[in-house]
Amino acid sequence: MSDSFKMDNLPFSLLDAREQALLNSHFDIAHFHKGELIIEAGKPPQGVFIISRGRVAESDVAEPDAQGKPLASNVFVHYEDEDYFGGWSAINGVAIHNFIAVEATTCHVLPTSILLELMVSNSLFADYFQQNLSAKREIVAQHGQSQDMAEFMLAKISDGLIREPLIVPQGTSLHEATRLMREMKTDCLLAKKRNRYGMITGTDLLDAVVLQGMPLEADVSEIASYRLITAQPDDYLFNALILMTQHQIERVVVMREDNSLAGVVELTDVLSHFSSHSHVIGLRVERANTVEELREAALGLTDLIRMLISTGVKIRFTMELLAAMNGRIISKLFDLIIPNDMRPHVCLIVMGSEGRGEQIMKTDQDNALLVRNGLEWPGLMDTMRRFSETLISFGFPPCPGNIMVSNPEWVNSIDQWARKLTQWSHSCDGLSVMNLAIAVDSKPIAGNIALFKVARNAFLRRVQSNDIFFSHFAKAALNFDTPLTLFGNLKDKEQLDIKKGGIFPVVHGIRTMALEQRILETNTFKRIEALVAMGKMDKAMGENLGEALSIFIQLRLNQQMQRVEAGGESLDKTPNAIDLQKLNKLERDLLRDALHIVKDFKKLFVMRYHISS
C-alpha cells in the first residue's frame, strides 16, 4: 500500500488493526489518463477507488436527442484527493453512472470481495457504505472530522447545576418570607400550597407590599405564580437556556418524571457554564426602550450565529435558540409600536419558516395580523406599514409576495381569517395552496394569543377531511424533482437548490400529514415526532427524515455564512444555493444519503395520498 493512503480517514478509521491489515494487503494501485473511463455505467466495478491524486467526475449516460445526436452528459459531482467512489456500485454489482478521470489520476483500489468481507465483520463500516443515514451521521459525529462539538452542548441539567430551593409552607407571612430569603441569601422561594409549588421572587414581594399595599402578615402563597416553567433533570442544559429566553425568566423549576421536585436551575449558573453571547443579546433586547436600541440588539444576531457554528452547536439547538431570539425581537418591536389600548384586540402571527421555528439566517418576513371582530382602529394600516418598514431596517427582508402586515390582505378579523383558510382549502389553484401552506405554519408571537386560537380552531373544524383535499394539498410536495440519481439533472452543474431539492418536499409532506391528523405543532421536527408517536409514521422513516432535514439546513447555513462573510453583507442573496464543489467528502456523502431519504419519502407519499403522475 502506498504511504499516501490515510487509514485515519472515515470510513477506514472504523476498522480494527486486523481489518486494516487485511485491507492493506489487498490494495492495488491504478493510474488513469485524463479522459479515461474508470467505472462504466451498466457494468460491475472492480471495487472501491480512493484517490491519491487527481480528479474524477461522476456523470450520467449521455442519451441521443430527437435527431439521434448524443446529448452532453451531466456531471453530478467531482471527487478529489482522499475521496472515495464506487462503493454503492460495488455493493449492488453494477454501476449506474460513468466515472471519468478529469485529469491524470492515481487511485488505491479495494477489491469488491474484500469490501464485502469487511462489511460482514464490521457493522459500523457496513452502515457507512449502506446508505443508513441516521447511522452514518452518528458515525460522523462520533468518529469523523467534526468532533469539535463543544462539550457544554451535551451537558445535562443534572450535571451539578440544580440548586435546592427555599421552600415555605402555605400560611407563611410576607414578612417571614422576606426574612428567610435575606437569611438564605436568595432572591426567590417556592411556596407549597397543598400539592402545588408556586414561585415568588424578591420583586413579587416588593410589588405586593409597596404597589398593592398588602399587609406584612398576608399569606405569601397568595402572591405565588403556580404556572411554572419546568424541565426534567435529564434535559439538556441548553434547552433550559432556550426556555428562559422564550419566557423571559431567570430560573426553571426542575421536576422529576414522578412529578416530584428536584430543585431549581438559575440563569446565572447556566451563563457561567455557557459563557454564551446569546444572553448578552437577550439582555439588550429586554432592556431596549426605543426602536434604535432594539435595532442594535437585532443586528448582533449574525455574530451569535457565527459563534454557534464555530463551536459546533447542533442545528436543532441553533434553530430553537434563534427562533426564541427572533420571536423576542419581533414581540418587543410590536410592544414599542402598537398602542397600549390596541394590544388586547390584535394578535401578530409569523408564518412560513419563522412560524415553524426553522429560520436561522434572516429571510423573507411572512407575517399577518388578526384583529377582534368589529374592531375600529383608523390608524391600523399606517401603524402596520411602519411596523413592516422597521422590521426591514432590523435586517428582516420584505416578502417578495407581499405577505406582510403592511398588506391589507394579511390583516384580517378572526372571522375573515377563518373564512380565508377554509376558502383556500376548497380551492385547487396554486396560489391558494401556497397561501394555505404558509398559514398552516402560523404561530402567534405578540398581542392577544387567544384571538389566534379561536381562528385556528374554527378552521380546523371546517377543513374538509377527505381524500380529494389532502391528495391535492399533498401534491405540492412533488413540485420539484429530487436531484438524484446522485444529484440529478442540474441546470448549473456546480450548484444545487437545496430548498427545492430537499427541504421543501420534507417540510410540506410532513405539514400535510400533520394537518390531516390535526397536530398543532408547527415545527417540522416536532411534527415528525408527533406523527411517529401517533403511529402514523414509521419510526425509522421519521428518524431518517429528521436527520435529512438537519443535514440540508446545516449545509445551507454553512454556505450562507461563507457568502455573507465573503461579501461583507448581512444578507445572502442566494440563500438556498449549495455549491457542491465547496463540500468536503463527508458532507457530500451525507447530502447524497439525505437526498435518497427524500426520494424514498416521496414514493411513500405518492402511495399514501393516491397522487397520480
Side-chain angles (χ1 to χ4, degrees), residues 172-174 177-178 189 191 193 198-209 212 214-215 218-226:
T172 302
S173 69
L174 298 181
T178 304
L189 58 80
K193 189 175 183 180
M199 176 76 73
I200 302 110
T201 66
T203 302
D204 294 331
L205 288 169
L206 186 63
D207 289 347
V209 175
Q212 301 175 33
M214 294 179 66
D219 187 346
V220 73
S221 66
E222 297 304 316
I223 68 167
S225 173
Y226 293 93

Side-chain angles (χ1 to χ4, degrees), residues 369 381 384-385 402 404-412 416 420:
L369 190 77
M381 289 313 305
M384 291 301 101
R385 280 189 284 272
N402 204 18
M404 302 185 294
V405 293
S406 54
N407 180 354
E409 287 295 316
W410 294 92
V411 177
N412 296 272
Q416 288 173 332
K420 276 189 175 181

Side-chain angles (χ1 to χ4, degrees), residues 25 136 146 223 226 230 256 303 314 334 463 504 603:
S25 64
K136 181 177 287 188
S146 58
I223 68 167
Y226 293 93
T230 64
R256 302 183 183 92
D303 290 336
K314 283 187 177 181
F334 186 86
V463 66
F504 181 78
K603 290 177 182 177

Side-chain angles (χ1 to χ4, degrees), residues 323-556:
M325 288 290 182
N326 282 331
R328 284 304 304 137
I329 290 169
I330 297 172
S331 177
K332 185 77 173 184
L333 178 62
F334 186 86
D335 290 343
L336 289 172
I337 289 182
I338 307 302
N340 289 342
D341 59 340
M342 287 294 114
R343 291 179 206 164
H345 307 292
V346 297
C347 178
L348 177 70
I349 60 176
V350 292
M351 302 176 290
S353 59
E354 191 74 63
R356 296 193 305 273
E358 295 165 16
Q359 180 172 293
I360 300 178
M361 297 292 288
K362 294 186 180 73
T363 55
D364 309 340
Q365 50 172 297
D366 293 327
N367 48 47
L369 190 77
L370 305 183
V371 304
R372 178 177 54 80
N373 292 332
L375 176 68
E376 294 185 5
W377 180 7
L380 172 59
M381 289 313 305
D382 286 339
T383 304
M384 291 301 101
R385 280 189 284 272
R386 180 186 168 205
F387 181 84
S388 292
E389 290 168 1
T390 307
L391 269 185
I392 293 171
S393 74
F394 279 22
F396 293 89
C399 175
N402 204 18
I403 303 174
M404 302 185 294
V405 293
S406 54
N407 180 354
E409 287 295 316
W410 294 92
V411 177
N412 296 272
S413 69
I414 297 175
D415 288 347
Q416 288 173 332
W417 184 244
R419 281 198 299 271
K420 276 189 175 181
L421 293 175
T422 304
Q423 289 167 2
W424 289 334
S425 71
H426 290 168
S427 178
C428 293
D429 66 277
L431 180 61
S432 294
V433 172
M434 182 194 73
N435 286 339
L436 182 60
I438 293 171
V440 166
D441 291 343
S442 58
K443 176 183 177 182
I445 203 167
N448 187 347
I449 293 176
L451 299 178
F452 166 78
K453 293 181 178 179
V454 170
R456 179 197 62 196
N457 294 342
F459 163 66
L460 290 178
R461 288 193 298 268
R462 295 176 188 174
V463 66
Q464 295 186 14
S465 301
N466 59 55
D467 292 342
I468 296 177
F469 163 69
F470 282 105
S471 176
H472 179 74
F473 188 66
K475 192 178 295 184
L478 310 178
N479 282 349
F480 308 109
D481 291 335
T482 305
L484 287 172
T485 55
L486 301 183
F487 297 128
N489 298 324
L490 306 179
K491 292 182 180 178
D492 185 335
K493 299 175 183 178
E494 302 296 324
Q495 292 198 336
L496 165 74
D497 187 322
I498 197 61
K499 182 175 181 179
K500 292 180 179 179
I503 294 175
F504 181 78
V506 176
V507 168
H508 189 70
I510 296 300
R511 175 195 291 137
T512 302
M513 297 174 69
L515 178 59
E516 183 181 21
Q517 301 303 322
R518 304 297 192 270
I519 293 171
L520 301 183
E521 292 283 1
T522 57
N523 179 267
T524 304
F525 296 97
K526 293 180 180 178
R527 282 171 167 170
I528 290 173
E529 291 165 0
L531 288 166
V532 171
M534 296 171 68
K536 300 299 180 180
M537 175 174 283
D538 178 73
K539 183 179 180 181
M541 174 58 77
E543 290 175 348
N544 275 331
L545 283 173
E547 293 287 356
L549 184 58
S550 293
I551 289 168
F552 298 145
I553 295 173
Q554 182 73 66
L555 294 178
R556 179 175 67 175

Side-chain angles (χ1 to χ4, degrees), residues 59-100:
S59 63
D60 61 4
V61 179
E63 296 181 359
D65 60 16
Q67 285 73 43
K69 297 180 180 179
L71 297 170
S73 59
N74 294 293
V75 175
F76 304 129
V77 65
H78 287 93
Y79 300 90
E80 299 178 333
D81 294 357
E82 300 180 11
D83 287 347
Y84 74 83
F85 61 90
W88 187 92
S89 302
I91 294 169
N92 289 275
V94 63
I96 58 174
H97 291 147
N98 290 324
F99 293 81
I100 301 172

Side-chain angles (χ1 to χ4, degrees), residues 7 25 32 68 83 119 139 166 180-181 222 232 274 306 347 361 384 423 489 518 570 587 589-590:
M7 197 68 78
S25 64
F32 303 96
D83 287 347
M119 289 176 65
I139 291 167
L166 172 59
L180 289 170
M181 287 174 63
E222 297 304 316
Q232 293 187 349
F274 281 98
R306 186 180 293 109
C347 178
M361 297 292 288
M384 291 301 101
Q423 289 167 2
N489 298 324
R518 304 297 192 270
S570 60
E587 290 170 335
D589 283 348
L590 291 174

Side-chain angles (χ1 to χ4, degrees), residues 111-128:
T112 300
S113 60
I114 303 302
L115 169 68
L116 297 178
E117 183 176 342
L118 292 171
M119 289 176 65
V120 170
S121 67
N122 190 309
S123 60
L124 282 178
F125 188 75
D127 282 339
Y128 198 89

